[in-house]
């Protein structure tokens, strides 16, 4: 068979006609043609296939058959047809890929920007079919062409291919998840080639190899090399891989041996309380509430209820309704987990004994009062106030029974009783030993009383001092009225009456004995008044009140005046007439105040059972806040000679403490509680109302609400 020349064909045909798929150029034409036109096109295509170009597969197959025929004609094996090599692909009916395009297995997207789509076997370009349709043409074809839904584009050639019925059935089966082969049965019974029963005879009677029961020398050598490498450390054994989950439960590992359990700051989740008998659907009768208890439960505040629900009884578990508080309880549980502290405060491992300061033993700090020595009885009501004479020989006490009593300290004998007709709020003995004068605050007046005890020259000298006053020529306005006592009052010892116009709460003397101050319960600015006995002159030092004044004290050494309000203590300089310092007590309500004889320390008692020690050189805040008493502290006092201070409280006790103040400014004061003195019986919720130290001895006097005065030595 004569082979046509490819070059001759290419000369006669144009470049566009050379394309093997020139017949496919019209395959994308409009689908408006009828069925007859389609048949005509198929006939034309068949005719074109007969006259195919030289590079087509059918032409190549014809050429191969011609060569094979020529070989058979010229072969010396003519007549021996069985020895001739047959074409093994001649009868092959398997589905082959379209081998007209020889570009190979490459992405066809590479040819998007080129007019051709590949090359044929002769290396000629295979041009794409003409695509001149716009979106409107595609839409019309989709609407009018009944075969549009089964037409796909071949990515290898770019031509539109209509799927056959078999191909459609295959696609539908694959979409439904079935097997592609229709004849395949996935549920056919399996053939049991080997039975599970043990047979006598083997499946094969082939004798076992010798190597199956003799150890392999090659494997032995490999194992010995591996063992040597492991011994030398060249090969590290693989550690087992821990299958760590990608997420973990924060509260799951509460075991102390777990990773989170060993973490120092790990806080386990708070456990939900386990249900009790009351939460059963059929609780015992004693857990059910009566109608009265149920009504009381409903009227209670939710935070005060013993149970957050009402126990109910149901005949069976099927009759139990949905729990109405389920979401509420879940929300509270989430709050418990969310608000659980994430960090645990580390406790320092310290011996508790090391935290207690090393204080000296009380036995080494003697002398101080330890036992009750005397009881001064005579008052019929509570004793509000006491004061000791500068010599320490006499004691004066004021009571709610309207009397002032003078006692002899050593014997406990009442020497004089002065009836004043009303409640005695405060008494103060003049600290000057050359003057025998006592100030007594009764209602709206202050009585200056000559006690008439002791040396007669001292008593007469006091009267002469008070009578030496001469009235000024011009009367100056004063906040109080000085009135001399009448004959009857002078016989009882009263020398002067100072009318204040308001209720007087406290009187206190200056250290030199001429000046004294009084506190008046008045809401205005004249709550504090300062008086001079020798000149019978009074003045109000403050224009504006610093609050509700509780008590006042003169400084023992400097011209300072201390005023205690409810929460603070103000220190004024009387010479400069200015505020020097303001002490913050950190207490709710100051009740009493005392100044150290050295002048640099102040103690304040408060109704919230605190005692504040102030170091004026250190800070305006308390140096030490003592909470020794269980109830309100009514009175505090310093000893003039010994390093002692005491406090009396409504709990009926007097606590004596050691308070050593050093001259070295770098050394803080030493405060040591020494003794709790008990003896007073609390009456009307009141205990010890006043305390006072003996001026020379380490003794202390206490006045109680039980109507007695007690001496502790």
């Amino acid at each position: 068979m004569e082979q046509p020349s490819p070059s001759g064909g290419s000369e006669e045909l144009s470049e566009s006609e050379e394309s093997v798929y020139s017949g496919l150029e019209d395959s994308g034409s409009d689908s408006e043609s009828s069925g007859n036109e389609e048949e005509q096109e198929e006939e034309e295509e068949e005719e074109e296939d007969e006259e195919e170009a030289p590079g087509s597969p059918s032409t190549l197959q014809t050429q191969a058959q011609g060569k094979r025929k020529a070989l058979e004609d010229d072969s010396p094996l003519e007549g021996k047809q069985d020895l001739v090599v047959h074409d093994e692909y001649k009868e092959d009916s398997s589905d082959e890929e379209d081998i007209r395009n020889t570009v190979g297995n490459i992405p066809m997207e590479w040819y998007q920007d080129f007019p051709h789509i590949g090359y044929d076997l002769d290396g000629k370009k295979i041009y794409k079919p003409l695509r001149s349709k716009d979106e409107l043409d595609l839409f019309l074809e989709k609407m009018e062409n009944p075969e549009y839904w089964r037409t796909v584009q071949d990515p290898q050639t770019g031509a539109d291919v209509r799927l056959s019925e078999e191909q459609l059935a295959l696609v539908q089966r694959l979409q439904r998840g079935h097997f592609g082969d229709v004849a395949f049965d996935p549920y056919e019974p399996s053939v049991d080639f080997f039975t599970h029963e043990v047979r006598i005879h083997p499946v094969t009677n082939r004798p076992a190899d010798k190597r199956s029961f003799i150890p392999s020398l090659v494997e032995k050598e490999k194992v010995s090399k591996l063992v040597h490498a492991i011994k030398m450390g060249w090969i590290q054994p693989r550690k087992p891989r821990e299958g760590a989950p990608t997420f973990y439960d924060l509260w799951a590992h509460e075991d102390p041996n777990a990773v989170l359990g060993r973490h120092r700051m790990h806080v386990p989740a708070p456990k939900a309380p386990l249900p009790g008998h009351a939460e059963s659907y059929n609780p015992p009768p004693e857990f059910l509430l009566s109608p009265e208890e149920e009504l009381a439960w409903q009227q209670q505040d939710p935070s005060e209820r013993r149970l957050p629900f009402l126990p109910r009884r149901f005949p069976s578990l099927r009759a139990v309704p949905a729990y109405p508080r389920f979401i509420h309880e879940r929300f509270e549980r989430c709050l418990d987990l969310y608000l659980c502290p994430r960090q645990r405060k580390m406790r320092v491992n310290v011996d508790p004994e090391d935290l207690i300061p090393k204080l000296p033993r009380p036995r080494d700090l003697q002398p101080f009062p330890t036992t009750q020595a005397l009881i001064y009885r005579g008052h019929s009501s509570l004793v509000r106030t006491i004061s000791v004479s500068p010599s320490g020989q006499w004691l004066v006490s004021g009571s709610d029974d309207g009397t002032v009593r003078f006692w002899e300290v050593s014997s406990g004998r009442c020497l004089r009783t002065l009836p004043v007709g009303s409640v005695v709020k405060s008494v103060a003995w003049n600290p000057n030993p050359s003057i025998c004068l006592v100030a007594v605050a009764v209602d709206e007046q202050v009585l200056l009383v000559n006690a008439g005890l002791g040396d007669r020259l001292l008593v007469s000298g006091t009267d002469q001092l008070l009578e030496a006053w001469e009235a000024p020529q011009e009367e100056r306005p004063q906040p109080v009225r000085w009135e001399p006592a009448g004959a009857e009052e002078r016989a009882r010892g009263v020398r002067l009456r100072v009318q204040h116009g308001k209720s007087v709460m406290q009187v206190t003397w200056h250290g030199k004995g001429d000046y004294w101050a009084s506190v008046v319960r008045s809401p205005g600015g004249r709550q504090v008044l300062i008086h001079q006995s020798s000149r019978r002159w009074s003045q109000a030092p403050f224009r504006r009140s610093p609050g509700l004044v509780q008590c006042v004290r003169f400084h023992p050494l400097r011209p300072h005046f201390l005023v205690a309000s409810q929460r603070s203590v103000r220190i004024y300089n009387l010479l400069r007439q200015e505020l020097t310092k303001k002490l913050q007590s950190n207490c709710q309500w100051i009740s009493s105040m005392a100044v150290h004889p050295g002048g640099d320390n102040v103690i304040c008692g408060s109704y919230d059972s605190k005692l504040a020690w102030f170091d004026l050189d250190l800070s305006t805040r308390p140096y030490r806040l003592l909470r020794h008493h269980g109830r309100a502290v009514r009175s505090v006092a310093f000893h003039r000679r010994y390093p002692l201070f005491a406090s009396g409280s409504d709990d009926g006790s007097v606590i004596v403490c050691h308070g050593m103040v050093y001259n070295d400014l770098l050394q803080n004061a030493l405060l040591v509680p020494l003794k709790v003195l008990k003896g007073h019986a609390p009456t009307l919720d009141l205990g010890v109302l006043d305390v006072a130290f003996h001026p020379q001895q380490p003794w202390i006097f206490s006045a109680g609400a039980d109507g007695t005065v007690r001496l502790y030595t």
Side-chain angles (χ1 to χ4, degrees):
M1 185 174 179
E2 196 170 319
Q3 180 180 356
S5 172
S7 61
S10 63
E11 290 176 0
E12 295 176 2
L13 299 175
S14 64
E15 189 177 4
S16 61
E17 292 171 349
E18 278 181 14
S19 174
V20 180
Y21 301 107
S22 59
L24 297 175
E25 291 177 2
D26 300 332
S27 62
S29 60
D30 297 341
S31 59
E32 298 175 359
S33 58
S34 61
N36 296 332
E37 293 177 355
E38 292 179 0
E39 293 177 0
Q40 292 177 3
E41 289 179 1
E42 291 177 0
E43 292 176 358
E44 291 174 1
E45 289 176 1
E46 290 176 359
E47 293 175 0
E48 289 177 359
D49 291 342
E50 292 176 0
E51 301 173 357
E52 280 181 348
S56 64
S58 58
T59 308
L60 296 174
Q61 189 175 3
T62 308
Q63 294 174 0
Q65 290 175 359
K67 289 180 181 179
R68 203 162 45 242
K69 180 71 173 173
L71 287 172
E72 290 174 1
D73 294 342
D74 300 337
S75 174
L77 300 175
E78 187 178 352
K80 300 179 181 178
Q81 300 296 332
D82 53 341
L83 298 177
V84 178
V85 178
H86 295 281
D87 186 6
E88 58 179 319
Y89 301 106
K90 182 177 180 179
E91 302 297 333
D92 190 4
S93 62
S94 61
D95 295 335
E96 298 179 0
E97 294 184 5
D98 195 350
I99 60 173
R100 286 174 291 176
N101 197 349
T102 60
V103 294
N105 186 15
I106 63 169
M108 300 310 293
E109 291 85 4
W110 293 355
Y111 285 96
Q112 281 182 354
D113 301 331
F114 294 96
H116 60 284
I117 202 169
Y119 300 90
D120 58 10
L121 292 173
D122 291 334
K124 303 286 181 60
K125 292 181 179 179
I126 302 175
Y127 287 92
K128 299 177 184 176
L130 296 177
R131 297 284 180 183
S132 60
K133 297 179 182 179
D134 55 4
E135 296 292 334
L136 184 59
D137 294 336
L138 292 174
F139 177 72
L140 292 175
E141 181 181 1
K142 181 178 179 181
M143 292 292 106
E144 297 174 358
N145 186 8
E147 304 296 333
Y148 181 82
W149 64 276
R150 65 194 301 170
T151 305
V152 296
Q153 183 180 356
D154 186 4
Q156 198 78 8
T157 61
D160 290 339
V161 180
R162 176 179 172 275
L163 298 180
S164 62
E165 296 295 336
E166 293 80 5
Q167 292 171 332
L168 283 176
L170 176 62
V171 170
Q172 291 171 357
R173 287 180 61 83
L174 293 178
Q175 285 179 342
R176 289 196 300 267
H178 297 170
F179 290 96
D181 189 2
V182 181
F184 180 76
D185 183 12
Y187 305 110
E188 62 182 4
S190 61
V191 180
D192 192 3
F193 294 101
F194 297 96
T195 176
H196 62 280
E197 299 177 359
V198 181
R199 300 292 185 179
I200 301 175
H201 303 290
V203 178
T204 62
N205 205 12
R206 178 171 171 269
D209 292 327
K210 184 179 180 181
R211 64 172 177 268
S212 63
F213 53 86
I214 292 180
S216 172
L217 296 177
V218 178
E219 290 181 0
K220 178 181 178 182
E221 186 178 357
K222 286 183 179 180
V223 170
S224 63
K225 287 183 178 180
L226 291 175
V227 170
H228 179 65
I230 291 175
K231 286 182 179 180
M232 298 299 293
W234 302 334
I235 298 178
Q236 296 292 337
R238 288 183 183 176
K239 296 181 179 178
R241 298 181 62 182
E242 298 179 359
T246 56
F247 58 90
Y248 62 93
D249 184 4
L250 182 64
W251 307 108
H253 307 292
E254 297 185 8
D255 182 19
N257 298 321
V259 177
L260 284 179
R262 291 196 303 269
H263 195 270
R264 183 173 293 176
M265 290 298 177
H266 172 63
V267 180
K271 299 284 188 183
L274 297 176
H277 294 295
E279 299 185 55
S280 171
Y281 75 95
N282 188 14
E286 59 267 17
F287 288 95
L288 296 175
L289 300 182
S290 62
E292 295 81 9
E293 293 175 337
E294 188 171 334
L295 181 61
W297 183 88
Q298 293 173 353
Q299 292 175 352
Q300 275 183 330
D301 189 75
S303 61
E304 297 177 356
R305 292 171 179 168
R306 188 175 61 88
L307 291 174
F309 60 93
L310 282 174
R312 299 288 186 192
R313 169 172 286 176
F314 299 97
S316 65
L317 200 56
R318 289 180 298 170
V320 178
Y323 186 40
R325 296 187 72 255
F326 175 74
I327 295 179
H328 185 74
E329 284 194 354
R330 291 297 94 195
F331 177 71
E332 287 186 346
R333 176 64 178 165
C334 292
L335 283 185
D336 289 344
L337 296 178
Y338 161 60
L339 298 175
C340 179
R342 299 291 179 187
Q343 188 173 6
R344 181 178 296 158
K345 292 184 179 180
M346 296 299 295
R347 293 184 59 186
V348 183
N349 294 325
V350 179
D351 187 10
E353 299 295 332
D354 297 341
L355 300 178
I356 301 175
K358 301 299 182 184
L359 298 177
R361 292 179 299 176
R363 190 173 62 188
D364 301 335
L365 302 177
Q366 291 177 345
F368 57 86
T370 57
T371 57
Q372 177 178 302
L374 284 175
I375 300 178
Y376 303 87
R377 302 183 187 274
H379 287 290
S380 59
S381 183
L382 53 90
V383 182
R384 286 190 180 272
T385 173
I386 55 174
S387 182
V388 189
S389 65
S391 62
Q393 190 176 359
W394 322 108
L395 173 70
V396 61
S397 63
S399 171
D400 278 11
D401 58 4
T403 61
V404 176
R405 290 178 179 265
F406 295 89
W407 312 82
E408 186 180 14
V409 171
S410 58
S411 63
R413 187 162 56 98
C414 180
L415 301 177
R416 288 185 60 189
T417 301
L418 175 64
V420 293
S422 184
V423 175
V424 179
K425 293 294 181 67
S426 177
V427 295
W429 206 301
N430 194 313
N432 191 341
S434 62
I435 300 175
C436 182
L437 200 61
V438 178
V440 181
V442 181
D443 283 344
E444 298 180 357
Q445 60 185 354
V446 175
L447 307 178
L448 296 182
V449 180
N450 188 341
L453 300 175
D455 191 357
R456 293 183 180 180
L457 293 176
L458 186 64
V459 173
S460 60
T462 303
D463 289 341
Q464 292 175 5
L465 179 66
L466 293 177
E467 292 170 358
W469 174 79
E470 295 181 358
Q473 296 178 356
E474 296 182 2
E475 285 289 337
R476 291 184 296 177
Q478 297 189 52
V480 299
R481 292 195 323 272
W482 292 75
E483 299 175 353
E488 184 180 352
E489 290 179 334
R490 282 189 71 86
R492 291 185 301 179
V494 180
R495 298 293 183 261
L496 290 172
R497 282 190 289 115
V498 185
Q499 298 289 343
H500 285 69
K502 299 281 186 178
S503 178
V504 183
M505 306 305 296
Q506 183 212 0
V507 289
T508 181
W509 287 93
H510 187 268
K512 294 186 177 179
D514 191 17
Y515 288 91
W516 55 278
S518 60
V519 178
V520 180
R521 181 62 70 235
S522 172
R526 291 185 175 181
Q527 295 188 58
V528 180
L529 301 174
I530 296 179
H531 316 272
Q532 187 177 5
S533 304
S534 60
R535 297 174 56 193
R536 299 187 185 181
W537 167 248
S538 302
Q539 58 181 337
F542 305 113
R543 295 179 186 173
R544 194 172 63 237
S545 171
L548 191 63
V549 177
Q550 300 298 311
C551 58
V552 295
R553 286 283 186 269
F554 285 99
H555 196 280
L557 302 178
R558 291 188 283 272
H560 290 172
F561 190 60
L562 289 84
V563 180
S565 59
Q566 286 188 10
R567 287 176 174 265
S568 61
V569 177
R570 289 173 170 84
I571 303 176
Y572 295 93
N573 191 322
L574 296 178
L575 291 181
R576 298 181 182 178
Q577 298 183 2
E578 63 182 10
L579 176 66
T580 303
K581 197 170 291 187
K582 182 180 178 182
L583 308 178
Q584 299 294 336
S585 66
N586 290 352
C587 301
Q588 295 294 330
W589 196 305
I590 295 176
S591 62
S592 54
M593 176 177 56
V595 186
H596 191 272
D600 290 334
N601 294 270
V602 177
I603 57 174
C604 294
S606 68
Y607 290 118
D608 54 350
S609 68
K610 297 177 186 175
L611 188 145
W613 176 293
F614 292 95
D615 190 339
L616 301 184
D617 297 331
L618 189 64
S619 171
T620 58
R621 298 279 180 180
Y623 161 65
R624 190 69 58 81
L625 208 59
L626 306 178
R627 296 179 177 86
H628 296 154
H629 290 285
R631 299 188 64 184
V633 177
R634 293 280 174 178
S635 179
V636 292
F638 272 111
H639 199 287
R640 292 186 188 177
R641 294 179 58 189
Y642 292 96
L644 299 174
F645 66 96
S647 59
S649 170
D650 279 346
D651 56 8
S653 64
V654 177
I655 296 182
V656 180
C657 300
H658 176 87
M660 174 60 76
V661 177
Y662 300 96
N663 293 327
D664 185 6
L665 294 178
L666 297 179
Q667 193 168 2
N668 293 328
L670 175 65
L671 309 182
V672 183
L674 296 175
K675 186 70 176 176
V676 179
L677 304 173
K678 294 183 179 180
H680 290 281
T683 307
L684 301 175
D685 285 339
L686 298 174
V688 178
L689 299 179
D690 198 6
V691 292
F693 276 103
H694 193 279
Q696 277 89 27
Q697 300 295 330
W699 301 346
I700 188 170
F701 301 90
S702 64
D706 54 357
T708 62
V709 179
R710 297 172 187 260
L711 168 64
Y712 300 92
T713 61

